[in-house]
Amino acid sequence: VMWQYAGKLEEHFGTEVDLRNRVVGGIHSTEMLDRLRTDESLRADLAEADVVTTDIPIAWFVEPLKTVSGWQGTNPAECGGDDGAQCLRNALDAYEADTDAIIDEIVAICGVDTLIRLYDNFMINTGYKLETSTLDISNPYWKAGMDYVEESAARFGIPVAQVYDEFMGPEGTDDPYVKGLLGEDQLHPNAEGAALIADLLDELGYGD
């Protein structure tokens, strides 16, 4: 995604982008927050950046999704609650707290003159072979988390690219793999998916 978006920036501003890709695959939002607070090299890159893009890692939701789906023999009842969704509520609460803290930290490091752009995440249902019955339980909590990213970012006037809507469709039930937006692992965007995310970021504009 970052390489495609860098190309958009170069086209818009007519200058070469010094891309500093600090993506860490599979990172938890708590780990991301810790790195933002303690990794001096990362903090230096952010402080120098003219443009910063990121999502909020969704790891809080992964184990609850597996639980409610009965993935590899897990017991959906272990999610807890009268409706079998307590683990999803817990995940949403933790995700929202990390979202606020991560955005606060990025803004504090970057300052008000940095162009900050966020994007939300599609539901990782295909890669874990989640059934429609699982989506009926889990999707509202996932969507609430993605909506919260936009709410939290709005505190600082930061726009959010709506990846969830584009990948999952108006009802939140589309399969992004079937739509040709995911790689063979069915968990990560392929070139077409990454290009779409870059387009969505570009459509947020540049504040000029």
Side-chain angles (χ1 to χ4, degrees):
V1 173
M2 294 306 97
W3 293 106
Q4 289 93 329
Y5 186 55
K8 303 284 186 182
L9 291 169
E10 290 179 340
E11 181 179 346
H12 182 82
F13 291 105
T15 186
E16 184 176 352
V17 171
D18 174 16
L19 177 61
R20 302 182 188 181
N21 187 354
R22 302 304 297 258
V23 172
V24 177
I27 194 171
H28 199 289
S29 55
T30 55
E31 297 175 87
M32 180 179 179
L33 181 58
D34 181 66
R35 290 187 67 226
L36 286 168
R37 290 171 171 169
T38 63
D39 185 332
E40 293 304 323
S41 174
L42 173 61
R43 291 174 64 86
D45 277 349
L46 287 170
E48 294 176 7
D50 296 309
V51 180
V52 171
T53 61
T54 189
D55 65 343
I56 308 296
I58 46 78
W60 279 116
F61 288 106
V62 173
E63 290 306 316
L65 284 174
K66 292 178 181 179
T67 299
V68 299
S69 70
W71 189 77
Q72 293 191 344
T74 56
N75 183 1
E78 293 180 359
C79 187
D82 294 339
D83 57 354
Q86 186 58 49
C87 65
L88 289 164
R89 282 189 288 274
N90 295 343
L92 177 59
D93 288 344
Y95 184 77
E96 289 180 350
D98 278 355
T99 294
D100 284 339
I102 286 169
I103 293 174
D104 287 349
E105 197 67 33
I106 290 173
V107 171
I109 297 169
C110 293
V112 296
D113 294 330
T114 303
L115 188 78
I116 302 172
R117 296 291 184 261
L118 301 183
Y119 54 98
D120 64 15
N121 277 286
F122 57 92
M123 169 74 82
I124 53 172
N125 59 306
T126 306
Y128 290 118
K129 306 297 188 291
L130 306 184
E131 301 296 335
T132 300
S133 59
T134 299
L135 289 176
D136 290 342
I137 299 171
S138 59
N139 214 1
Y141 295 95
W142 186 287
K143 184 62 166 64
M146 299 308 102
D147 289 344
Y148 191 79
V149 173
E150 186 171 14
E151 180 181 331
S152 183
R155 296 176 296 138
F156 301 99
I158 300 170
V160 178
Q162 305 297 306
V163 171
Y164 176 94
D165 290 346
E166 290 294 324
F167 276 58
M168 302 300 297
E171 303 301 323
T173 55
D174 289 1
D175 185 334
Y177 181 69
V178 172
K179 293 170 78 169
L181 300 174
L182 302 184
E184 287 306 310
D185 66 357
Q186 301 184 31
L187 290 171
H188 298 92
N190 57 15
E192 290 77 11
L196 175 55
I197 296 173
D199 285 341
L200 294 172
L201 287 167
D202 180 57
E203 290 169 6
L204 297 178
Y206 300 96
D208 53 6

